[in-house]
Amino acid sequence: MHRNGIDAARLGTARCSSCAIRDLVLFGDLRDQDFDLIHIPIDELRFQPGATLYSAGDEGGSLYTIRSGLVKLVQFLPDGTQRIVRLLRRGAVAGLEVLVGKPYEHTAVVLQEAETCRLPRAVVERLSKETPRLHARLMERWYQSLHQADEWLTELSTGSARRRLARLFLKLAADAPSEPVLLSGREDLGAMLGIGMETASRTIAEFKRAGLVVEQAPNVFVCDLSALETVVLDLSLIHH
Protein backbone atom coordinates (compact mmCIF):
# COMPACT_ATOMS: atom_id res chain seq x y z
CA MET A 1 0.00 0.00 0.00
CA HIS A 2 1.35 3.41 -0.89
CA ARG A 3 1.95 6.11 1.69
CA ASN A 4 0.40 9.50 1.10
CA GLY A 5 3.24 11.19 2.97
CA ILE A 6 5.52 10.24 0.09
CA ASP A 7 3.10 10.77 -2.77
CA ALA A 8 1.46 13.99 -1.64
CA ALA A 9 2.23 17.37 -0.17
CA ARG A 10 -0.07 18.18 2.74
CA LEU A 11 -1.62 21.60 2.30
CA GLY A 12 -3.29 21.63 5.69
CA THR A 13 -6.62 20.83 7.26
CA ALA A 14 -9.57 21.62 5.03
CA ARG A 15 -12.09 24.28 6.04
CA CYS A 16 -15.15 22.77 4.39
CA SER A 17 -17.55 25.54 5.31
CA SER A 18 -15.54 28.05 3.25
CA CYS A 19 -14.46 25.70 0.45
CA ALA A 20 -14.32 27.43 -2.93
CA ILE A 21 -15.90 24.44 -4.67
CA ARG A 22 -18.17 23.40 -1.83
CA ASP A 23 -21.24 23.47 -4.08
CA LEU A 24 -19.61 20.91 -6.39
CA VAL A 25 -18.67 18.31 -3.79
CA LEU A 26 -20.30 16.22 -1.09
CA PHE A 27 -20.67 18.96 1.50
CA GLY A 28 -22.54 21.43 -0.71
CA ASP A 29 -25.83 21.00 1.17
CA LEU A 30 -24.44 21.04 4.70
CA ARG A 31 -25.26 23.82 7.16
CA ASP A 32 -22.98 25.44 9.70
CA GLN A 33 -24.14 23.21 12.55
CA ASP A 34 -23.43 20.10 10.45
CA PHE A 35 -19.73 20.94 10.38
CA ASP A 36 -19.65 20.69 14.18
CA LEU A 37 -20.01 16.92 13.68
CA ILE A 38 -16.62 16.72 11.98
CA HIS A 39 -14.06 15.74 14.63
CA ILE A 40 -11.51 13.92 12.45
CA PRO A 41 -9.29 16.14 10.26
CA ILE A 42 -10.04 16.37 6.56
CA ASP A 43 -6.68 16.87 4.88
CA GLU A 44 -5.99 18.94 1.79
CA LEU A 45 -3.32 17.21 -0.30
CA ARG A 46 -1.52 18.10 -3.51
CA PHE A 47 -0.41 15.25 -5.79
CA GLN A 48 2.06 15.46 -8.64
CA PRO A 49 1.49 13.68 -11.98
CA GLY A 50 2.12 9.96 -11.64
CA ALA A 51 1.31 9.88 -7.92
CA THR A 52 -1.22 7.35 -6.62
CA LEU A 53 -4.15 8.31 -4.41
CA TYR A 54 -4.88 4.65 -3.66
CA SER A 55 -4.45 1.23 -5.24
CA ALA A 56 -6.96 -1.43 -6.23
CA GLY A 57 -7.45 -3.94 -3.43
CA ASP A 58 -6.32 -1.57 -0.66
CA GLU A 59 -8.59 -1.45 2.36
CA GLY A 60 -10.26 1.91 2.03
CA GLY A 61 -10.12 4.32 4.92
CA SER A 62 -10.88 7.50 3.00
CA LEU A 63 -12.73 9.07 0.10
CA TYR A 64 -11.18 11.80 -2.02
CA THR A 65 -12.78 14.84 -3.62
CA ILE A 66 -10.94 16.37 -6.55
CA ARG A 67 -10.48 20.12 -6.09
CA SER A 68 -8.39 20.60 -9.25
CA GLY A 69 -6.44 18.56 -11.75
CA LEU A 70 -7.19 15.25 -13.44
CA VAL A 71 -7.13 11.72 -12.02
CA LYS A 72 -7.53 8.44 -13.89
CA LEU A 73 -9.16 5.31 -12.46
CA VAL A 74 -7.25 2.29 -13.72
CA GLN A 75 -8.24 -1.34 -13.90
CA PHE A 76 -5.47 -3.87 -14.48
CA LEU A 77 -6.42 -6.77 -16.74
CA PRO A 78 -5.23 -10.38 -16.20
CA ASP A 79 -2.58 -10.01 -18.93
CA GLY A 80 -1.06 -7.05 -17.06
CA THR A 81 -2.33 -4.34 -19.38
CA GLN A 82 -4.22 -1.41 -17.96
CA ARG A 83 -7.63 -0.06 -18.87
CA ILE A 84 -8.62 3.45 -17.87
CA VAL A 85 -12.25 3.21 -16.86
CA ARG A 86 -12.91 6.84 -15.97
CA LEU A 87 -11.36 10.29 -15.64
CA LEU A 88 -12.09 12.34 -12.53
CA ARG A 89 -12.08 16.12 -12.70
CA ARG A 90 -12.89 19.06 -10.44
CA GLY A 91 -15.77 18.21 -8.11
CA ALA A 92 -15.59 14.43 -8.59
CA VAL A 93 -15.49 11.97 -5.69
CA ALA A 94 -13.18 8.94 -5.72
CA GLY A 95 -13.46 5.84 -3.56
CA LEU A 96 -17.18 5.79 -2.81
CA GLU A 97 -17.04 1.99 -2.59
CA VAL A 98 -15.36 2.20 0.82
CA LEU A 99 -18.66 3.39 2.31
CA VAL A 100 -20.09 -0.11 1.85
CA GLY A 101 -17.03 -1.77 3.36
CA LYS A 102 -15.38 -2.70 0.06
CA PRO A 103 -11.70 -2.30 -0.79
CA TYR A 104 -10.82 0.17 -3.52
CA GLU A 105 -11.97 -1.18 -6.89
CA HIS A 106 -9.48 0.74 -9.01
CA THR A 107 -6.09 2.39 -8.80
CA ALA A 108 -6.39 6.19 -8.82
CA VAL A 109 -3.42 7.84 -10.55
CA VAL A 110 -2.87 11.56 -11.08
CA LEU A 111 -2.59 12.68 -14.71
CA GLN A 112 -2.42 16.43 -14.09
CA GLU A 113 -1.25 17.99 -10.81
CA ALA A 114 -4.19 17.61 -8.47
CA GLU A 115 -5.40 19.13 -5.24
CA THR A 116 -7.68 16.84 -3.26
CA CYS A 117 -9.47 16.62 0.04
CA ARG A 118 -9.04 13.30 1.84
CA LEU A 119 -12.26 12.53 3.71
CA PRO A 120 -11.97 9.85 6.43
CA ARG A 121 -14.67 7.25 5.99
CA ALA A 122 -15.77 7.71 9.61
CA VAL A 123 -16.52 11.40 8.95
CA VAL A 124 -18.68 10.70 5.92
CA GLU A 125 -20.46 7.79 7.63
CA ARG A 126 -21.32 9.91 10.67
CA LEU A 127 -22.52 12.86 8.62
CA SER A 128 -24.52 10.56 6.37
CA LYS A 129 -26.22 9.02 9.39
CA GLU A 130 -26.94 12.28 11.20
CA THR A 131 -27.47 14.62 8.25
CA PRO A 132 -30.12 13.52 5.72
CA ARG A 133 -28.94 16.19 3.30
CA LEU A 134 -25.54 14.53 3.00
CA HIS A 135 -27.10 11.09 2.65
CA ALA A 136 -29.14 12.38 -0.28
CA ARG A 137 -26.01 13.89 -1.84
CA LEU A 138 -24.17 10.57 -1.44
CA MET A 139 -26.96 8.71 -3.23
CA GLU A 140 -26.76 11.29 -6.00
CA ARG A 141 -23.00 10.70 -6.26
CA TRP A 142 -23.50 6.94 -6.47
CA TYR A 143 -25.87 7.46 -9.36
CA GLN A 144 -23.52 9.89 -11.09
CA SER A 145 -20.62 7.44 -10.77
CA LEU A 146 -22.65 4.63 -12.31
CA HIS A 147 -23.93 6.91 -15.07
CA GLN A 148 -20.43 8.19 -15.87
CA ALA A 149 -19.07 4.64 -15.99
CA ASP A 150 -21.81 3.62 -18.43
CA GLU A 151 -21.28 6.77 -20.48
CA TRP A 152 -17.52 6.21 -20.60
CA LEU A 153 -17.98 2.62 -21.76
CA THR A 154 -20.49 3.63 -24.43
CA GLU A 155 -18.80 6.75 -25.78
CA LEU A 156 -15.10 5.92 -25.51
CA SER A 157 -15.09 2.17 -26.09
CA THR A 158 -17.35 1.88 -29.12
CA GLY A 159 -17.11 3.05 -32.70
CA SER A 160 -14.02 3.84 -34.75
CA ALA A 161 -10.80 5.11 -33.22
CA ARG A 162 -11.51 8.51 -34.78
CA ARG A 163 -14.91 8.81 -33.14
CA ARG A 164 -13.52 7.67 -29.79
CA LEU A 165 -10.70 10.21 -29.95
CA ALA A 166 -13.06 13.02 -31.00
CA ARG A 167 -15.35 12.21 -28.08
CA LEU A 168 -12.39 12.25 -25.69
CA PHE A 169 -11.23 15.68 -26.89
CA LEU A 170 -14.77 16.99 -26.45
CA LYS A 171 -15.03 15.55 -22.93
CA LEU A 172 -11.70 17.03 -21.88
CA ALA A 173 -12.65 20.41 -23.32
CA ALA A 174 -16.10 20.48 -21.71
CA ASP A 175 -15.06 22.31 -18.52
CA ALA A 176 -13.09 25.05 -20.29
CA PRO A 177 -13.92 25.13 -24.02
CA SER A 178 -11.62 28.07 -24.74
CA GLU A 179 -8.57 26.49 -23.09
CA PRO A 180 -6.11 24.02 -24.67
CA VAL A 181 -6.64 20.35 -23.92
CA LEU A 182 -3.88 18.34 -22.25
CA LEU A 183 -3.68 14.70 -23.29
CA SER A 184 -1.60 12.18 -21.43
CA GLY A 185 0.86 9.89 -23.24
CA ARG A 186 -0.08 7.59 -26.10
CA GLU A 187 -0.09 4.57 -23.78
CA ASP A 188 -2.68 6.23 -21.54
CA LEU A 189 -4.62 7.32 -24.59
CA GLY A 190 -4.78 3.76 -25.86
CA ALA A 191 -5.86 2.55 -22.42
CA MET A 192 -8.63 5.13 -22.28
CA LEU A 193 -10.00 4.34 -25.72
CA GLY A 194 -9.29 0.62 -25.90
CA ILE A 195 -6.99 0.98 -28.92
CA GLY A 196 -3.30 0.32 -29.50
CA MET A 197 -0.59 2.95 -29.11
CA GLU A 198 0.10 2.88 -32.86
CA THR A 199 -3.55 3.48 -33.66
CA ALA A 200 -3.68 6.30 -31.12
CA SER A 201 -0.63 8.00 -32.63
CA ARG A 202 -1.89 7.55 -36.18
CA THR A 203 -5.32 8.94 -35.35
CA ILE A 204 -3.88 12.02 -33.63
CA ALA A 205 -1.68 12.59 -36.70
CA GLU A 206 -4.80 12.41 -38.91
CA PHE A 207 -6.57 14.96 -36.73
CA LYS A 208 -3.60 17.31 -36.92
CA ARG A 209 -3.37 17.02 -40.71
CA ALA A 210 -7.10 17.72 -41.02
CA GLY A 211 -6.80 20.81 -38.78
CA LEU A 212 -9.13 19.39 -36.14
CA VAL A 213 -6.49 19.95 -33.48
CA VAL A 214 -3.27 21.96 -33.31
CA GLU A 215 -0.50 20.69 -31.04
CA GLN A 216 0.90 23.76 -29.29
CA ALA A 217 3.33 21.78 -27.16
CA PRO A 218 3.85 18.05 -26.54
CA ASN A 219 0.38 16.62 -25.74
CA VAL A 220 -1.20 20.12 -25.51
CA PHE A 221 -3.86 20.71 -28.15
CA VAL A 222 -6.05 23.57 -29.31
CA CYS A 223 -9.27 21.99 -30.57
CA ASP A 224 -11.77 22.90 -33.26
CA LEU A 225 -14.74 21.74 -31.20
CA SER A 226 -17.37 22.09 -33.91
CA ALA A 227 -15.25 20.04 -36.31
CA LEU A 228 -14.71 17.37 -33.66
CA GLU A 229 -18.46 17.21 -33.08
CA THR A 230 -18.84 16.63 -36.81
CA VAL A 231 -16.40 13.71 -36.62
CA VAL A 232 -18.54 12.11 -33.92
CA LEU A 233 -21.60 12.42 -36.18
CA ASP A 234 -20.02 11.92 -39.60
CA LEU A 235 -17.40 9.25 -40.20
CA SER A 236 -16.70 10.56 -43.66
CA LEU A 237 -15.12 13.83 -42.46
CA ILE A 238 -11.64 12.31 -42.27
CA HIS A 239 -10.44 9.96 -44.97
CA HIS A 240 -7.59 7.52 -44.69
Side-chain angles (χ1 to χ4, degrees), residues 11 38 46 76 109 129 141 153 174 186 194 204 223 233:
L11 303 180
I38 300 175
R46 178 181 289 125
F76 290 97
V109 181
K129 181 179 179 181
R141 289 292 175 168
L153 182 64
R186 300 298 189 263
I204 287 176
C223 301
L233 298 172

Side-chain angles (χ1 to χ4, degrees), residues 202-223:
R202 185 172 63 248
T203 307
I204 287 176
E206 289 181 10
F207 277 30
K208 289 163 65 175
R209 286 197 299 272
L212 303 177
V213 298
V214 175
E215 192 166 12
Q216 284 190 325
N219 296 325
V220 178
F221 296 87
V222 174
C223 301

Side-chain angles (χ1 to χ4, degrees), residues 16-17 22 26-39 42 123-124 126-135:
C16 304
S17 59
R22 177 177 159 186
L26 287 179
F27 295 165
D29 294 329
L30 296 192
R31 298 171 184 168
D32 290 343
Q33 63 267 29
D34 296 325
F35 292 106
D36 294 336
L37 298 170
I38 300 175
H39 299 301
I42 294 173
V123 167
V124 182
R126 181 177 185 187
L127 285 171
S128 179
K129 181 179 179 181
E130 300 188 29
T131 308
R133 291 178 298 280
L134 178 63
H135 185 76

Side-chain angles (χ1 to χ4, degrees), residues 130-214:
E130 300 188 29
T131 308
R133 291 178 298 280
L134 178 63
H135 185 76
R137 180 65 70 99
L138 279 171
M139 293 304 99
E140 181 184 330
R141 289 292 175 168
W142 275 116
Y143 171 77
Q144 287 177 353
S145 293
L146 290 172
H147 178 73
Q148 287 169 0
D150 287 345
E151 186 181 64
W152 185 276
L153 182 64
T154 301
E155 295 189 2
L156 299 183
S157 300
T158 58
S160 68
R162 292 173 296 189
R163 293 185 81 179
R164 297 184 197 190
L165 181 61
R167 289 185 186 121
L168 178 61
F169 272 121
L170 290 171
K171 279 183 174 292
L172 293 176
D175 288 342
S178 61
E179 297 294 321
V181 166
L182 174 63
L183 285 185
S184 48
R186 300 298 189 263
E187 182 179 0
D188 272 351
L189 195 58
M192 280 186 238
L193 303 178
I195 59 179
M197 287 174 55
E198 269 189 33
T199 301
S201 295
R202 185 172 63 248
T203 307
I204 287 176
E206 289 181 10
F207 277 30
K208 289 163 65 175
R209 286 197 299 272
L212 303 177
V213 298
V214 175

Side-chain angles (χ1 to χ4, degrees), residues 1-2 52-60 72-77 97 102-109:
M1 184 182 297
H2 78 285
T52 300
L53 274 65
Y54 54 78
S55 298
D58 284 355
E59 292 300 320
K72 63 179 178 179
L73 293 185
V74 180
Q75 184 178 54
F76 290 97
L77 305 179
E97 59 269 25
K102 301 291 186 182
Y104 292 117
E105 293 181 354
H106 308 102
T107 297
V109 181

